[in-house]
Amino acid sequence: MSEKKLKFNSRTIHGGQEPDKAYGSVMPPIYQTSTYAQTTPGGHQGYEYSRSGNPTRTALENSLASIENGNYGLAFASGLSAIDAVIKLLEPGDEVVSTNDLYGGSYRLFRQVYEKYGIVFHFIGMQDASEIASYITDKTKLIWVETPTNPMMHIVDIAAVSGLAKKHDILLAVDNTFATPYLQRPLDLGADIVMHSATKYLGGHSDVVVGALVVKDKELADKLYFLQNASGAVCGPMDSFLVLRGIKTLHVRIQRHCENGRAVAEYLAKHPKIEKVYWPGFEDHPNHDIAASQMDDFGGMISFVTRGCAYADAIKIVESLRVFTLAESLGGVESLAGHPASMTHASIPKEEREKSGVVDALIRLSVGIEDKDDLIADLEQAIG
Ligand SMILES: *Cc1c(COP(=O)(O)O)cnc(C)c1O
């Protein structure tokens, strides 16, 4: 049966996979090799050097393409190296319109690395997709979207942005790290490129740093493959294996992340010491309708601000948590808490940060898949 006919919860396990040809091993072996024997120059079995291709990486790339409803997957050494390959499609003078509330490392790559090469970035709020039009010029070649945004949980209407991008012949790339394809499939909504930090939910166990791109179009895939091989930030065989293993349980993990996320968000919203909770599942979230239409559920990422907005209160809470671990990153089975202003978003200037709501008192939670009663009890003792 063609695996394209399988439903999502089967494709996480079988998508793009077949038992290994050598011994029938059900999981792809970790082909820990740099090179491959040839019978005559050029006489090889599809692999000649592991930067250009490795069977374990191919297995992961096929799985990624399958779960994102794309045709081609590319696995990189990190999420940022995947983004780096996308920006390298551009020429000096080209312009990019990006969401303003985005992963700090993406912002740093755009501003501190690529502006130097003459690429111009505009950072704007995209909750109202029509706002984007006024930033589009004949130099605009790429729209970069994160949704839900990090850490403010704004939602961008992917189909609306895609309509605009198509009208002006601009590439649309969506960072789907927060939602994962279990909740949201940007290629189906008209995006050209889906990007992942597979370090997060796809890997799911906080044990690996990997990035990914998925596209439908062959010509675009060829260009990105050229850049992946030319620049060389590829995903290694062991890391490919770990992410593949993670993807096999993606659907069951995300289900529990969503369930626990809802419980924690509702608990926080009722807490007298909490001023504001940012979670797209709430009906009064400003973009709830779009979230409900383009996502299948609302995920386990939540941000909140304590009443009075004091920096010291936020620090005291994150330091007092015992089940939640104070750490960078997100998307693993264990619950993490972060303080964006001093951690993930420290590379964004305070003024720029606060414009998008990342105030000093903001705390971001990646709600894991532990028992939700333990998570709520932990927050209760930390918030006091
Ligand atoms: C972590 C992250 C990245 C960067 O990925 P790395 O794997 O850390 O290089 C990009 N976007 C988002 C939304 C992230 O959370």
Side-chain angles (χ1 to χ4, degrees), residues 310-333:
Y311 179 81
D313 291 345
I315 300 298
K316 185 182 154 283
I317 291 170
V318 294
E319 286 179 352
S320 309
L321 288 164
R322 292 293 170 263
V323 182
F324 282 84
T325 303
L326 174 60
E328 305 259 4
S329 201
L330 60 108
V333 288

Side-chain angles (χ1 to χ4, degrees), residues 78-81 83 103 106 146 150 175 177-178 195 197-200 209-211 330:
S78 65
L80 280 173
S81 58
I83 301 175
Y103 181 69
S106 309
E146 233 179 79
N150 179 11
D175 181 336
T177 301
F178 267 39
M195 175 264 154
S197 170
T199 313
K200 317 293 167 54
V209 174
V210 169
L330 60 108

Side-chain angles (χ1 to χ4, degrees), residues 17-208:
Q17 309 300 302
E18 49 189 58
D20 186 63
K21 291 200 180 66
Y23 297 106
S25 75
V26 166
M27 267 308 273
I30 302 163
Y31 281 97
Q32 195 71 51
T33 187
S34 60
T35 191
Y36 306 81
Q38 308 192 7
T39 48
T40 180
H44 55 75
Q45 299 174 51
Y47 295 94
E48 43 193 334
Y49 187 62
S50 280
R51 172 164 30 73
S52 312
N54 173 286
T56 318
R57 195 175 95 214
T58 304
L60 170 62
E61 293 178 331
N62 291 343
S63 166
L64 291 163
S66 173
I67 60 175
E68 280 288 2
N69 288 344
N71 296 320
Y72 306 93
L74 297 120
F76 290 83
S78 65
L80 280 173
S81 58
I83 301 175
D84 183 75
V86 176
I87 305 302
K88 281 179 178 150
L89 293 168
L90 307 177
E91 307 273 340
D94 286 353
E95 296 187 15
V96 179
V97 182
S98 165
T99 34
N100 59 359
D101 178 34
L102 85 163
Y103 181 69
S106 309
Y107 181 85
R108 180 177 55 200
L109 179 69
F110 295 167
R111 296 297 310 264
Q112 295 187 38
V113 178
Y114 279 106
E115 275 187 357
K116 210 167 59 186
Y117 294 98
I119 296 171
V120 179
F121 294 88
H122 302 279
F123 297 93
I124 66 167
M126 292 191 189
Q127 294 99 289
D128 178 358
S130 65
E131 297 261 313
I132 303 170
S134 63
Y135 290 86
I136 290 179
T137 72
D138 56 4
K139 298 258 176 61
T140 311
K141 295 289 154 58
L142 174 71
I143 300 178
W144 186 267
V145 166
E146 233 179 79
T147 181
T149 68
N150 179 11
M152 298 308 296
M153 311 298 154
H154 297 310
I155 301 294
V156 179
D157 184 339
I158 298 172
V161 178
S162 155
L164 197 71
K166 287 203 167 34
K167 191 169 128 199
H168 296 275
D169 204 17
I170 299 168
L171 281 177
L172 170 60
V174 176
D175 181 336
N176 205 29
T177 301
F178 267 39
T180 84
Y182 179 78
L183 299 177
Q184 164 175 289
R185 288 150 311 271
L187 297 179
D188 290 353
L189 298 166
D192 301 290
I193 303 173
V194 172
M195 175 264 154
H196 275 279
S197 170
T199 313
K200 317 293 167 54
Y201 286 107
L202 298 188
H205 295 74
S206 307
D207 51 10
V208 73

Side-chain angles (χ1 to χ4, degrees), residues 252-254 256-257 260 332-335 367-371 375:
V252 282
R253 285 186 288 110
I254 302 292
R256 184 61 65 85
H257 283 293
N260 285 358
V333 288
E334 62 286 290
S335 293
V367 178
I369 63 172
E370 301 95 335
D371 192 294
L375 299 179

